[in-house]
Amino acid sequence: MAAQTITRAVESDLEPSRIYILLAEVSNIPLWAPAFADTIEPIDGTLHRVTRNGETFDIEIGRAHV
């Protein structure tokens, strides 16, 4: 089965820096990528546990330097 990608766009009057803060916060991933994660929990530093459809996997996400 081929992988499927769904792309959507949203326009906003918010300052780009405020949008970046929302997207850069790992705990918000389920809000802006619900097809990827139901929940996400920090494990240690940059390591996080993602739960999707009752299954879990770990991801490592580094902090961006702005």
Side-chain angles (χ1 to χ4, degrees):
M1 177 182 215
Q4 181 181 10
T5 300
I6 299 172
T7 303
R8 294 187 178 102
V10 176
E11 292 188 24
S12 175
D13 291 330
L14 292 174
E15 291 291 323
S17 61
R18 292 186 65 192
I19 294 171
Y20 177 81
I21 290 168
L22 172 75
L23 296 176
E25 179 56 47
V26 176
S27 65
N28 288 329
I29 290 175
L31 296 174
W32 57 264
F36 175 73
D38 296 324
T39 62
I40 188 162
E41 302 170 36
I43 296 173
D44 184 24
T46 59
L47 193 60
H48 297 78
R49 176 148 303 129
V50 176
T51 302
R52 176 71 182 142
N53 293 330
E55 298 198 25
T56 62
F57 58 94
D58 295 343
I59 60 172
E60 187 170 5
I61 301 175
R63 289 282 179 194
H65 299 283
V66 179

